[in-house]
Amino acid sequence: MSQPYDAFEKLRKHNAVLHESVALHSGIQLAAWSNKRDTITQYCDHHTLSLYIADGYESYHKTAEGWKNGGGPDRFCLMPKESESSWDIRDDLSFVHLYCTDTHLREVGEKVWDKSPYSFTLDEHTFGSDPGITAVYRQFLLGNDWQQPANHLTLSAASSLLLTHLIQHYSNVQWRLPTVTGGLAPATLRNVLAYIEAHLAHPITLSDLASEAALSDFHFARMFRQSMNMAPHQYVMQRRMALAQNLVCYSSRSLSDIAMACGFSSASHFSNRFKQVTGKTPTQLRAAK
């Protein structure tokens, strides 16, 4: 874990059950929780985006007019830095939290829009509905094993996309997204691709690749897609699978070693992903060769 987050630590002291968590890079952490029959008041020194996965119909938020509910699958709550909120969880609730430091949020905004506002704040939202947020977290945050280093690029890209969306739609600035035309310069692209090849065995985040190109995550992701006709996480997984097939077919290394060399900490997860791509497990492909 990169640092303690108030909301995370407070939930751990209550009835909430932590299912998994992952620190992606400086300023961002994801945590998957479930809770039931709990009351909690949160005051945080960071931003929290809460995404309801399942249930949540009996989650109540304290307002000036009393306790109000409105939760359910795909609803979201946005709790900005220094906001205080009280909750009464009366029945089952499964949710994902995205924690973000104010410093990191400001860096995202400044890098994407090349602007530095005097004040930069998020608006508090309770039981909101946003198809854009739902699409990102359902497809990318819930669809990947967080503990696999090979998935950290996808998770970090999705998290950066969510933060950009929050700045665009739920902040005091609400800047329109800048247009990005053209791809990466040839020399920059060569450096990025070489970095990827040299780090296939390690976790790679979007920020790692953007730093190699001296660009914001937002601009890098879009310019990379222009250059390669695919998203960075798709390209990296393609290269991992190409290396894996080569090692399975033309080396005598154990499958566990090959999994590690391709950025997977679990041989079973590696085998499942390999079969999705090739139609055969590594064992079956090696036997056929």
Side-chain angles (χ1 to χ4, degrees), residues 113-267:
W113 284 275
D114 196 24
K115 297 178 183 178
S116 182
Y118 174 72
S119 66
F120 197 91
T121 58
L122 292 178
D123 305 324
E124 188 170 355
H125 276 266
T126 306
F127 306 133
S129 179
D130 186 320
I133 290 176
T134 298
V136 172
Y137 92 85
R138 284 280 175 188
Q139 181 175 355
F140 298 110
L141 298 189
L142 300 189
N144 289 280
D145 183 344
W146 293 3
Q147 303 314 312
Q148 289 303 319
N151 291 330
H152 285 192
L153 178 54
T154 301
L155 295 173
S156 65
S159 298
S160 294
L161 190 60
L162 284 171
L163 294 181
T164 303
H165 186 85
L166 294 181
I167 294 169
Q168 187 186 7
H169 297 284
Y170 301 103
S171 76
N172 62 318
V173 293
Q174 295 197 0
W175 293 320
R176 296 182 63 179
L177 279 179
T179 55
V180 177
T181 57
L184 297 169
T188 301
L189 181 60
R190 283 196 301 272
N191 289 340
V192 169
L193 298 185
Y195 179 91
I196 290 171
E197 293 299 319
H199 292 82
L200 290 177
H202 307 287
I204 299 174
T205 68
L206 187 62
S207 291
D208 294 334
L209 300 182
S211 294
E212 281 294 305
L215 292 166
S216 72
D217 293 6
F218 173 86
H219 286 89
F220 171 77
R222 279 152 181 76
M223 293 169 75
F224 185 93
R225 185 184 283 274
Q226 289 270 13
S227 294
M228 301 299 294
N229 294 314
M230 66 181 75
H233 72 270
Q234 293 172 320
Y235 176 82
V236 171
M237 187 56 70
Q238 185 182 89
R239 294 307 304 151
R240 284 187 162 126
M241 287 295 100
L243 174 61
Q245 289 181 62
N246 194 335
L247 293 175
V248 166
C249 294
Y250 304 110
S251 82
S252 58
R253 295 173 66 174
S254 72
L255 297 184
S256 294
D257 282 349
I258 293 173
M260 295 293 287
C262 298
F264 295 88
S265 60
S266 159

Side-chain angles (χ1 to χ4, degrees), residues 1-33:
M1 191 186 305
S2 58
Q3 67 174 79
Y5 290 87
D6 288 351
F8 182 88
E9 296 300 328
K10 193 73 173 283
L11 282 173
R12 292 182 74 175
K13 296 174 183 176
H14 281 67
N15 294 342
V17 176
L18 177 65
H19 296 281
E20 59 179 336
S21 68
V22 60
L24 295 173
H25 50 80
S26 177
I28 291 183
Q29 182 184 338
L30 297 172
W33 301 91

